[in-house]
Amino acid sequence: MKTVFGPVPSRRLGQSLGIDPVPFKTCNWNCIYCQLGRTSPFTLERREYVPRTEILEQVQEVLDRHDPGEIDWITFVGSGETCLHSELGWLINAVKQETEIPVAVITNGSLLHLPEVRRELQAADAVLPSLDTASERLYRKINRPHHSLTLDMLISGLRDFRAEYHGQLWVEVMLIKGLNDGERDLQALAAALEYIRADEIHLLLPTRPPVEPWVEPPDEVTLQRAQLILGKRARLVIEISGTFDLSSERSAVEALLSILTRHPMCESNLLAALEKWLPGKGAQTLESLRSTGRVQVITRRGQRFWSMAQAHYTEEMDNLPDMRLKGLTK
Ligand code: SF4
């Protein structure tokens, strides 16, 4: 599977060419809202998971195939934690020598307490770390980090990075109904974000299939209150649909699998987008990928999503009796 995918339509970064530098679900957090299922391997090890030259060659190939203006951002966005790749700094600098397209890094931010990680990210045009709460208890409950990572390390790492970094720092906050959307928790979070001095605060909702089926977005009133408390730098980032590019691999099907590995998609958006690349054959192609065990359908709050088969989601309660039955009849 290639590490470069797309371009795909991004909620904030227009048509974004993705670079995924770590193997599937290699992460040091195991967030309850992760759209890619449960974390495995759960690790803190930084290393060159994919050879840096191989990644750069793939970026060069894709850039050669696209005209100026077709790609808005080049985004390091892992199907795990991007900063676990030990050559991230080299890669950002190498990509910037190839093109003037701005480079963004999406990270959970948990390794920003390490001076070398902060140094490596300096060349990026935008860095998008996460901070979902200012409570250690909620940090453990929502992000389920590696036991050696504390909230203090996360917040002080973000603050130190802000002091050293001159690009755009956009902190992502995932809002979850009944967990981090209470008034007192939001006020504590607003104080932490003030201390970090982010340029923007991006409020996200768990609209893609969360690993835990009980994870839900807050209601409209709570959302408005959250925006008020978090202040004028906070804005809600709405999920968008749009075209994606399936020309980055040998076949449209391989490119589709490459995208689904990083971005599970809701069925209606997926079928609409597939019409351009596989006219009249979208549904049939998906069904054949499912019957051969390469992709799966996940249902969340009545909506069907397509995701890679290797992602492990917690089953919805409604489906449990069937699962148990299957287990008994095996
Ligand atoms: S949402 Fe990001 S940080 Fe959280 S478990 Fe998934 S890949 Fe890791």
Side-chain angles (χ1 to χ4, degrees), residues 46 83 86 88-89 111-122 161 164:
R46 296 196 75 219
C83 292
S86 54
L88 187 60
L111 297 179
L112 288 172
H113 66 279
L114 300 172
E116 64 271 27
V117 173
R118 297 200 297 273
R119 263 195 311 275
E120 286 171 36
L121 294 182
Q122 293 298 319
F161 182 60
E164 297 161 6

Side-chain angles (χ1 to χ4, degrees), residues 25 27-31 33-37 39 78-81 108:
K25 265 327 299 262
C27 197
N28 51 15
W29 285 5
N30 184 22
C31 303
Y33 55 76
C34 188
Q35 59 177 320
L36 299 172
T39 293
S79 53
E81 171 46 30
N108 63 22

Side-chain angles (χ1 to χ4, degrees), residues 246-267:
L246 296 187
S247 69
S248 64
E249 302 217 13
R250 273 193 309 262
S251 74
V253 169
E254 287 306 314
L256 171 65
L257 291 171
S258 195
I259 290 173
L260 287 181
T261 302
R262 287 88 185 192
H263 291 276
M265 292 180 71
C266 95
E267 189 166 72

Side-chain angles (χ1 to χ4, degrees), residues 98-257:
E98 291 294 322
T99 174
E100 292 184 348
I101 299 171
V103 172
V105 178
I106 297 182
T107 166
N108 63 22
S110 63
L111 297 179
L112 288 172
H113 66 279
L114 300 172
E116 64 271 27
V117 173
R118 297 200 297 273
R119 263 195 311 275
E120 286 171 36
L121 294 182
Q122 293 298 319
D125 298 281
V127 174
L128 292 78
S130 294
L131 182 67
D132 299 325
T133 176
S135 143
E136 180 74 37
R137 181 184 62 85
L138 286 177
Y139 177 48
R140 307 242 144 244
K141 201 161 185 173
I142 295 171
N143 304 113
R144 303 188 293 199
H146 187 275
H147 63 84
S148 63
L149 297 171
T150 66
L151 183 68
D152 272 353
M153 287 158 80
L154 174 61
I155 292 179
S156 62
L158 286 165
R159 168 72 184 198
D160 290 347
F161 182 60
R162 167 73 295 173
E164 297 161 6
Y165 177 63
H166 302 294
Q168 287 293 303
L169 182 62
W170 301 336
V171 176
E172 296 187 339
V173 177
M174 181 69 82
L175 289 172
I176 301 157
K177 182 177 178 178
L179 274 181
N180 60 349
D181 62 349
E183 199 163 332
R184 275 174 55 187
D185 286 319
L186 286 169
Q187 271 159 358
L189 181 59
L193 289 164
E194 194 57 41
Y195 172 71
I196 291 162
R197 292 190 288 114
D199 295 297
E200 292 181 16
I201 298 157
H202 292 176
L203 305 180
L204 309 183
L205 302 175
T207 47
R208 291 198 183 130
V211 60
E212 304 299 347
W214 45 265
V215 169
E216 290 184 21
D219 60 38
E220 192 57 39
V221 174
T222 311
L223 215 48
Q224 283 171 8
R225 186 182 61 192
Q227 276 184 284
L228 272 178
I229 293 173
L230 296 176
K232 58 181 186 305
R233 278 173 300 160
R235 68 177 172 99
L236 185 62
V237 176
I238 304 289
E239 175 96 42
I240 59 162
S241 56
T243 59
F244 51 75
D245 188 333
L246 296 187
S247 69
S248 64
E249 302 217 13
R250 273 193 309 262
S251 74
V253 169
E254 287 306 314
L256 171 65
L257 291 171

Side-chain angles (χ1 to χ4, degrees), residues 268-308:
S268 52
N269 285 350
L270 180 56
L271 287 172
L274 273 180
E275 203 42 43
K276 176 179 172 195
W277 299 94
L278 301 161
K281 290 192 186 152
Q284 185 192 332
T285 304
L286 288 177
E287 209 37 65
S288 118
L289 288 173
R290 180 158 82 151
S291 62
T292 52
R294 301 183 78 184
V295 298
Q296 61 179 319
V297 176
I298 299 298
T299 306
R300 289 290 183 260
R301 302 169 70 226
Q303 202 176 9
R304 283 160 60 90
F305 294 87
W306 288 77
S307 178
M308 287 302 280

